[in-house]
Amino acid sequence: MDRTLDGRQSAVDSRPDSAGMTSRSRDLEDVSFGAVVEADDAYRVQWATPDGLEVVGRGVAARIRARGPERFDEIRAQAESTFDGLDHRGPAVARPRAFGGFSFHDGHESGGLWRGFEAASFVVPEVLVTRSDDGTWLTAVGDDPEEATRRLEAWHDRLLELPAMRPSGSGPGVAETRRTTPIESWRAQVEAALERIDAGELTKVVLAQALSVDLEGPIDVPATVERLRRRYPNCYRFLVGDGTGGTFFGAPPERLVSKRGNRVETEALAGSVPRGETPEEDDEHVERMLDSEKFRREHGLVVEAIRDQLAPLASELTVDDRRIRRLATIQHLQTPIEATLEADRHVLELVEALHPTPAVGGVPPGTALETIRETESFDRGWYAAPIGWFDAAGDGEFAVGLRSGLATDETVTLFAGNGIVADSDPEEEWEEVQLKLRPILDELR
């Protein structure tokens, strides 16, 4: 049903108001997650965390959408209605969850490249397959117990016919690439940002680029995500597509926030250098990063901002020691941050408080966002924005939509950015952005 809240359109399409959402689960022999989310006109989602939880979903049991400056509040209010009276029979790990995300800018409108991706959109899938250390589970959601049970048994029979493993193959091949930001334009953008920093208007701003990749054949997105799993096992992995537009997917290294009960985990991830050919070269790159005032300042801004954003909501807050996060092609400075909430909060309240962190926006936030809108020549859409899930209890987990691409037909648009601070060099920042484009680009070749 469509409705208007405070003059801004939002929508929640779900079960009849008089019925509660019902879900039923049963254990399942291992199944290929890629085969479950094969492309068709149905909504499909895939979510995986570094600690081993994997979920795939298909179909729409409930859809929640909003736009405008109040989108976080509207999604949270609609979620309460959607999950009200939930009757779940099965293990907690297999419970229904709402998957989706937000756009980077609150003024985003669905259309163009980002057709089908609203400023805020979440779906409770009709069918979910969940894999964790406790096993693999199939969950079906319906308007009543009979519908949920029928759907559960029908999908169980259907999944038995799928292979337990699905070959991930190789990339479709790259025919041509096109940049939204040539290097000459990039230099001008960085220099303009540095002028604002010198004038005291900004301390940091993250500028991004988009790279359009024409493929030699159609892309198999689930297979691409599987190859990303093998190369980047300690990253998040996601896939979101509703069959009407493109499919947004990626392997982001950065957790935005995780909430379980009153415990919150987040992190600062900013500052990056390449991997070396040997452990000694790895260490040399790291030493250069640790010795750099620019990298230390950039990372410190992110730590400080996250701490300041969480402190008003927390009774306890711990900032851990800084460490090195090593991935297949890149190394980052990382600082884990944990908190205990002083009161009951929905994970979306934390998402709203933290987005955008200085790792993807800048300092001060308002001026940084204004600079990004004025400078970038493409629509960020859901790039660098919160992607994840929440449940009926208001728990959930969100990553930052980095190391990502939007697949449409035989084209994939990749996104990557870098933080600009006082002593940034345009050429070095350019090279770092190219490094961040590699994870997806390498899997397309």
Side-chain angles (χ1 to χ4, degrees):
M1 65 184 165
D2 293 320
R3 62 188 181 190
T4 300
L5 296 178
D6 298 329
R8 290 174 295 275
Q9 180 182 353
S10 62
V12 52
D13 307 313
S14 60
R15 66 213 181 279
D17 290 341
S18 59
M21 183 183 292
T22 300
S23 67
R24 297 292 183 264
S25 299
R26 61 175 296 173
D27 59 355
L28 187 68
E29 294 296 324
D30 208 8
V31 65
S32 166
F33 276 34
V36 176
V37 289
E38 289 248 319
D40 57 19
D41 291 336
Y43 175 88
R44 55 183 182 151
V45 64
Q46 184 169 355
W47 171 262
T49 66
D51 60 8
L53 174 68
E54 295 183 78
V55 186
V56 293
R58 287 175 60 100
V60 178
R63 188 190 302 269
I64 308 169
R65 296 173 290 186
R67 65 189 188 190
E70 305 302 321
R71 57 193 174 142
F72 292 95
D73 289 340
E74 292 180 12
I75 292 292
R76 192 166 67 249
Q78 293 173 40
E80 183 177 349
S81 173
T82 298
F83 281 115
D84 184 38
L86 171 65
D87 174 19
H88 172 60
R89 305 287 176 88
V93 71
R95 64 195 181 278
R97 312 171 199 231
F99 293 89
F102 297 86
S103 60
F104 184 84
H105 297 292
D106 59 20
H108 169 79
E109 296 285 347
S110 171
L113 179 67
W114 291 97
R115 181 169 62 92
F117 290 85
E118 307 286 345
S121 179
F122 288 82
V123 162
V124 180
E126 284 183 339
V127 176
L128 301 104
V129 178
T130 305
R131 180 189 295 143
S132 71
D133 293 339
D134 298 325
T136 303
W137 298 86
L138 172 66
T139 300
V141 181
D143 292 338
D144 54 58
E146 290 75 18
E147 181 182 46
T149 300
R150 285 195 304 270
R151 185 168 289 151
L152 180 70
E153 296 308 317
W155 268 92
H156 181 261
D157 293 343
R158 180 175 177 177
L159 293 179
L160 289 178
E161 300 175 359
L162 296 178
M165 295 296 294
R166 180 174 179 268
S168 59
S170 59
V174 173
E176 183 182 4
T177 61
R178 301 184 308 280
R179 297 184 181 278
T180 59
T181 312
I183 190 168
E184 296 80 8
S185 300
W186 173 259
R187 290 192 192 103
Q189 291 176 1
V190 173
E191 288 167 0
L194 290 172
E195 289 178 3
R196 286 195 169 191
I197 292 171
D198 289 342
E201 301 174 27
L202 278 171
T203 302
K204 174 185 176 180
V205 63
V206 178
L207 298 181
Q209 304 173 19
L211 180 70
S212 295
V213 182
D214 293 335
L215 306 175
E216 294 178 348
I219 182 173
D220 184 334
V221 179
T224 305
V225 172
E226 171 61 19
R227 292 195 299 275
L228 288 168
R229 179 189 69 81
R230 296 178 183 182
R231 189 159 173 78
Y232 300 93
N234 55 347
C235 288
Y236 289 87
R237 298 177 303 282
F238 72 87
L239 175 163
V240 180
D242 67 359
T244 64
T247 300
F248 188 45
F249 69 100
E254 183 177 352
R255 170 195 284 136
L256 179 64
V257 66
S258 170
K259 174 190 173 290
R260 290 170 176 81
N262 67 348
R263 296 297 300 162
V264 173
E265 296 181 31
T266 181
E267 64 187 7
L269 196 75
S272 53
V273 291
R275 293 294 303 268
E277 295 295 328
T278 65
E280 291 75 18
E281 289 183 9
D282 272 350
D283 292 342
E284 288 175 5
H285 287 306
V286 168
E287 287 301 317
R288 174 169 62 85
M289 182 164 56
L290 293 174
D291 290 341
S292 167
E293 174 63 24
K294 181 255 185 186
F295 283 124
R296 293 199 302 270
R297 184 187 312 116
E298 180 183 358
H299 187 80
L301 287 171
V302 179
V303 173
E304 182 180 351
I306 293 175
R307 183 180 58 219
D308 291 348
Q309 289 158 339
L310 278 183
L313 308 176
S315 59
E316 296 180 15
L317 193 148
T318 303
V319 178
D320 208 338
D321 294 334
R322 187 183 62 193
R323 61 192 64 175
I324 302 300
R325 177 85 182 278
R326 283 191 167 102
L327 304 177
T329 58
I330 197 168
Q331 306 177 91
H332 298 286
L333 291 177
Q334 178 191 40
T335 298
I337 301 171
E338 298 184 2
T340 301
L341 296 174
E342 65 174 357
D344 186 31
R345 300 279 184 176
H346 197 286
V347 67
L348 293 182
E349 295 180 77
L350 305 173
V351 172
E352 182 178 16
L354 293 171
H355 174 72
T357 72
V360 294
V363 179
T367 306
L369 292 178
E370 177 187 341
T371 302
I372 290 169
R373 280 191 291 264
E374 293 175 354
T375 302
E376 293 179 352
S377 57
F378 67 97
D379 181 1
R380 282 198 179 192
W382 282 27
Y383 162 68
I387 308 291
W389 62 269
F390 58 84
D391 63 13
D395 289 343
E397 185 163 10
F398 283 78
V400 183
L402 304 172
R403 311 298 196 272
S404 55
L406 181 65
T408 56
D409 299 323
E410 294 186 4
T411 298
V412 177
T413 303
L414 310 182
F415 308 93
N418 224 33
I420 310 302
V421 293
D423 48 357
S424 289
D425 177 83
E427 307 296 331
E428 292 180 358
E429 302 297 344
W430 172 272
E431 292 303 323
E432 193 168 332
V433 170
Q434 309 322 303
L435 189 62
K436 293 175 179 178
L437 289 169
R438 275 191 56 190
I440 306 295
L441 186 59
D442 286 350
E443 302 306 328
L444 301 179
R445 298 189 187 280

